[in-house]
Amino acid sequence: MNLILSLCIIILLTIFNFYGLYTNKFYFFKFDNYIFPLLAMVHLVFLYAMWSKIKEEELADTQMRNLEYSLYIIFFVYVFKVFDSITILWSYTEFENHVNPGTFVPIGSFILALYLVLLVLTLLTFKQRREIVGDYSFETINENLGSRQE
């Protein structure tokens, strides 16, 4: 359930990443809007690796370990996006003289909630990886590499 919910939230956040809260428009030609979807692809690959390992009842391997270490860094990008969303929502009162769209607060709050849920689900995914797939035992990884090379 965690994997499916994470997938849905990442898809929603990728769509909303192109949305401008101040203008109520989508911006597809800004380079900055493509950073989150590219980083989210690593998260999606990790979710697929988790699903595959759980389904096949396999142990963690080196590639999965490297993906998880990359996801640790991406987790901090998610934390940054939470603080960025909070900053944008707090800026609503600074622009009282300007016309803000009526969707500013509801969609901004929804995006913030999605980021917060994604943070929790990412931490839960790390925990489930340890419980279900297992720890990254270097002895086991080396034994699996040796048996594959033979």
Side-chain angles (χ1 to χ4, degrees):
M1 189 62 154
N2 178 25
L3 300 176
I4 294 170
L5 194 56
S6 295
L7 174 68
C8 294
I9 288 176
I10 288 173
I11 291 170
L12 282 173
L13 284 172
T14 299
I15 293 168
F16 281 119
N17 192 58
F18 294 98
Y19 180 75
L21 279 174
Y22 293 113
T23 59
N24 198 25
K25 294 180 183 176
F26 285 90
Y27 296 97
F28 295 105
F29 297 111
K30 286 179 61 180
F31 174 74
D32 298 349
N33 292 346
Y34 288 94
I35 294 172
F36 177 81
L38 289 174
L39 294 176
M41 287 174 61
V42 174
H43 195 153
L44 293 174
V45 171
F46 181 76
L47 292 176
Y48 175 75
M50 276 277 295
W51 174 77
S52 175
K53 297 291 181 188
I54 292 170
K55 182 180 174 189
E56 300 295 326
E57 297 180 6
E58 294 179 358
L59 296 174
D61 57 8
T62 309
Q63 292 86 4
M64 187 172 185
R65 182 194 64 199
N66 294 341
L67 279 172
E68 185 170 340
Y69 290 166
S70 300
L71 194 54
Y72 291 157
I73 296 167
I74 293 170
F75 180 81
F76 289 110
V77 173
Y78 295 162
V79 171
F80 168 76
K81 294 296 275 183
V82 166
F83 286 115
D84 186 45
S85 298
I86 291 171
T87 304
I88 290 171
L89 282 173
W90 279 351
S91 71
Y92 182 76
T93 57
E94 295 176 16
F95 298 107
E96 289 181 15
N97 297 334
H98 301 294
V99 177
N100 286 325
T103 59
F104 185 87
V105 174
I107 291 183
S109 300
F110 182 66
I111 291 171
L112 176 61
L114 287 175
Y115 277 119
L116 290 171
V117 171
L118 183 62
L119 286 176
V120 171
L121 289 175
T122 303
L123 292 173
L124 186 62
T125 302
F126 295 149
K127 182 181 177 231
Q128 286 179 340
R129 192 268 314 148
R130 272 186 241 110
E131 292 174 354
I132 299 172
V133 178
D135 288 331
Y136 296 121
S137 172
F138 292 106
E139 292 83 25
T140 307
I141 290 174
N142 290 336
E143 287 174 13
N144 288 341
L145 284 176
S147 64
R148 287 183 186 159
Q149 291 175 352
E150 294 175 359

